[in-house]
Amino acid sequence: MQEPDRYIYRAPFVVPVASPVIADGAVVTEQGRVVAVGRYGDLKEADAELVDYEGHVIAPALVNGHAHLELSHLAALGQEPGAQGDMPAWITSLLAARAAATDPEEAADDARYALARLYAGGCGAVIDIGNQLESRTLGEGFKTRISFHLELLGFARKSQEAAISRLETLPPDLCCTAHAPYSTGATLLRTLKERASRNKCLFPLHVAESADEIDLLMSGNGRFRVFLEERGAWDGSFIPPGVGAVAHLDRLGVLDARTLCVHAVHVAAAEIGLLAERGARVCLCPGSNRYMGVGKAPVATMLAQGLRPCLGTDSLASNPNLSLWQEMAILRADHPAIAPADVLAMASRNGARVLGIEEELGVIAPGVSSSLLAVECAATTGDGTLEYLTTAGAAIRLEWIE
């Protein structure tokens, strides 16, 4: 039997994200694309195959703005008690666990399983960060789109030089990025940003995740200095800029519309204004931040300044869950005054904007992919639907509309 060319999917509510919730809504698709979205009574047509999703809402695919799939084999670390704000201590545990894991195939299998979990949770695209070149192939054969970035770091002079030399051996079109201001020296940061700009790549990096990072940048002291000294990564060449992480990056000339500042917990109000002025992007990771005990990002101030953050899960080594629904629920709990519609946009449209794929994913509008989500939901109003989607967390049950 020949498959129909045109489908109409009906549900009590359709959540386009780019526009208000539609009651008794419908989405018309043809050849893998959305051709119309609106009220069912306005869209029903005789030659379209009707699929009725009673008891569900139709929502767009989600976009994960920050993940480390290659760390998935260290999930046991994320199930232990959190670091309670001591980032250097957690990194020490991470490095020890990584050194003890000796089976690369098992690690790769765990990463693929984590990606499958993301897809099962409605994730249509993910920005993935890895330290190993082999990790760029982890997503082959998966429906979730992966934007892979090889992460380099080097703080002392020699380690910066080694990382810059390594760049010359890498595929010229590979997107590379920096780890964080506390692990990547100024010369390497600038070099990586210049390469990313030439390749028109996004430049995601960890920024202002912990108070320890700010201590190092402000004074050159604190727990991160001790950590670097213990690892032989402190050679005395670092001159503390005496400013926060965002201001530091701006002084180095790496803050622009293709820079994605991940976490952004310890940022001053003036730095938020600087992010907005430069058009820089922000990715929030509330689940990881809660587990690590590093604090809460000033989300309300970001929104008030015109920033539109996206959401990320970070890694299973620093987050006991791997679900954007859980991230939304945690963010709502931490910031109850933020509108549910804004939170849902963080998990969908805003991430698609960062990746430049808003015409493909993250919203329901004519022209986007017809790979959408049908989410079980008993809400009887549009507001109730948004409330449920952003607070249900682990209770979410969904299926893909292919």
Side-chain angles (χ1 to χ4, degrees):
M1 182 176 178
Q2 186 176 359
E3 289 288 326
D5 294 327
R6 203 169 173 95
Y7 290 86
I8 181 165
Y9 300 97
R10 181 184 186 183
F13 295 96
V14 172
V15 186
V17 175
S19 56
V21 176
I22 303 168
D24 191 20
V27 182
V28 181
T29 70
E30 186 173 17
Q31 296 182 347
R33 296 287 166 185
V34 171
V35 296
V37 57
R39 291 183 59 83
Y40 174 67
D42 299 329
L43 297 179
K44 61 182 178 180
E45 48 189 78
D47 61 345
E49 177 81 10
L50 174 64
V51 181
D52 201 331
Y53 278 102
E54 189 64 36
H56 294 70
V57 299
I58 297 176
L62 305 183
V63 178
N64 189 335
H66 184 69
H68 295 270
L69 293 174
E70 75 175 30
L71 298 181
S72 300
H73 65 298
L74 306 179
L77 186 61
Q79 299 298 322
E80 296 175 1
Q84 300 304 310
D86 190 345
M87 179 71 71
W90 177 83
I91 295 174
T92 299
S93 298
L94 174 72
L95 294 174
R98 193 165 191 170
T102 57
D103 188 340
E105 283 303 315
E106 183 178 339
D109 286 344
D110 286 344
R112 296 185 188 102
Y113 178 63
L115 183 56
R117 286 173 58 185
L118 281 175
Y119 181 76
C123 181
V126 58
I127 299 173
D128 182 37
I129 310 298
N131 298 119
Q132 300 172 11
L133 186 59
E134 296 78 10
S135 295
R136 63 179 173 161
T137 64
L138 289 173
E140 291 181 352
F142 281 85
K143 292 182 179 180
T144 298
R145 304 182 187 198
I146 295 185
S147 175
F148 177 76
H149 299 260
L150 185 70
E151 179 184 80
L152 284 81
L153 60 164
F155 194 77
R157 279 201 184 98
K158 287 186 177 180
S159 56
Q160 289 188 68
E161 291 169 358
I164 292 170
S165 296
R166 185 189 177 197
L167 280 176
E168 299 174 1
T169 70
L170 298 172
D173 60 344
L174 178 69
C175 287
C176 297
T177 192
H179 175 253
Y182 63 80
S183 61
T184 315
T187 301
L188 180 55
L189 267 167
R190 290 194 187 101
T191 301
L192 288 167
K193 179 58 179 178
E194 288 167 2
R195 176 191 169 103
S197 296
R198 287 196 305 271
N199 288 345
K200 297 182 179 180
C201 289
L202 191 67
F203 193 66
L205 73 166
H206 306 82
V207 177
E209 184 175 0
S210 71
D212 293 317
E213 176 181 337
I214 308 305
D215 285 346
L216 182 72
L217 295 175
M218 294 295 291
S219 68
N221 295 310
R223 289 189 291 207
F224 261 127
R225 174 165 178 169
V226 174
F227 169 82
L228 292 166
E229 288 175 336
E230 289 175 346
R231 296 190 61 80
W234 185 272
D235 62 357
S237 63
F238 175 68
I239 300 174
V243 295
V246 170
H248 173 54
L249 294 176
D250 191 56
R251 287 184 179 182
L252 295 178
V254 302
L255 203 63
D256 61 24
R258 282 203 173 101
T259 303
L260 178 62
C261 298
V262 181
H263 294 287
V265 174
H266 296 272
V267 290
E271 290 184 299
I272 294 173
L274 188 57
L275 289 168
E277 182 180 344
R278 298 289 185 258
R281 314 302 182 93
V282 171
C283 180
L284 307 173
C285 300
S288 176
N289 295 342
R290 177 180 285 188
Y291 171 81
M292 299 292 290
V294 295
K296 304 171 186 177
V299 186
T301 306
M302 292 177 180
L303 293 174
Q305 291 274 13
L307 294 176
R308 294 294 176 262
C310 62
L311 286 184
T313 57
D314 214 318
S315 77
L316 283 171
S318 65
N319 191 345
N321 302 296
L322 202 67
S323 163
L324 287 168
W325 306 102
Q326 295 273 58
E327 297 299 322
M328 284 189 274
I330 293 170
L331 193 143
R332 286 292 312 280
D334 287 346
H335 306 275
I338 295 177
D342 288 336
V343 175
L344 184 59
M346 293 178 195
S348 53
R349 184 185 193 183
N350 296 0
R353 279 178 172 170
V354 169
L355 283 170
I357 58 171
E358 191 180 352
E359 295 181 355
E360 291 283 325
L361 290 175
V363 298
I364 305 178
V368 305
S369 170
S370 61
S371 291
L372 305 172
L373 308 178
V375 184
E376 292 182 11
C377 179
T380 57
T381 66
D383 288 344
T385 295
L386 292 173
E387 183 71 19
Y388 179 77
L389 293 178
T390 57
T391 60
I396 290 286
R397 298 292 180 269
L398 63 84
E399 62 181 272
W400 280 90
I401 299 173
E402 297 292 350

